Amino acid sequence: QVQLVESGGGLVQAGGSLRLSCAASGRTFSSTGMGWFRQAPGKEREFVAGISRGGRSTAYGDSAKGRFTISKDNAKNTVYLQMNSLKPEDTAVYYCATQDPYRSSTYTLTEKGTYDYWGQGTQVTVSS
């Protein structure tokens, strides 16, 4: 059974940084892409960042470009999201997800429907 456990969320002031981690088990980490999504109250879950199975390709949502960096350590089965220059509008629950290996490619990293397992989420709150 695939399990994803996020950590690293919390309260931070605007302009600050946080690093989220997601530890995965139950799936060969290098076999598929990984992604981060977020959901604010009253809004749909949106794509934040994704990384390909080998780690050489990444994709970012418009809100993350230039401020967030996704990375993965296949040996540790862990994916990270470094978030810098945080803004109050980044406040949300952040979810880690793993792609269905049969639908995983560089071109589908942004597609929410290609992710088949999700973590429970970690709250990020940015104060102004």
Side-chain angles (χ1 to χ4, degrees):
Q1 183 177 357
V2 178
Q3 289 190 319
L4 304 172
V5 180
E6 302 98 335
S7 61
L11 174 64
V12 63
Q13 288 189 331
S17 298
L18 281 174
R19 188 175 84 152
L20 305 183
S21 299
C22 172
S25 61
R27 173 172 281 172
T28 301
F29 206 64
S30 59
S31 70
T32 191
M34 301 290 295
W36 286 97
F37 292 75
R38 69 186 186 186
Q39 189 166 19
K43 295 188 177 181
E44 290 191 2
R45 191 169 298 189
E46 67 171 350
F47 173 77
V48 176
I51 188 165
S52 63
R53 63 186 71 186
R56 282 179 282 187
S57 296
T58 57
Y60 294 93
D62 289 341
S63 62
K65 289 177 182 175
R67 299 187 300 129
F68 295 0
T69 303
I70 188 171
S71 61
K72 66 187 300 192
D73 185 333
N74 284 340
K76 295 182 178 179
N77 267 20
T78 301
V79 64
Y80 305 96
L81 183 68
Q82 177 67 43
M83 304 187 295
N84 298 327
S85 302
L86 283 162
K87 306 174 183 179
E89 50 263 45
D90 293 318
T91 295
V93 178
Y94 284 71
Y95 297 91
C96 168
T98 177
Q99 284 189 302
D100 175 348
Y102 295 100
R103 302 181 67 190
S104 174
S105 79
T106 300
Y107 307 103
T108 61
L109 285 173
T110 63
E111 297 176 19
K112 187 166 54 178
T114 63
Y115 292 81
D116 57 354
Y117 287 96
W118 297 78
Q120 292 299 306
T122 185
Q123 176 71 45
V124 171
T125 302
V126 184
S127 64
S128 58

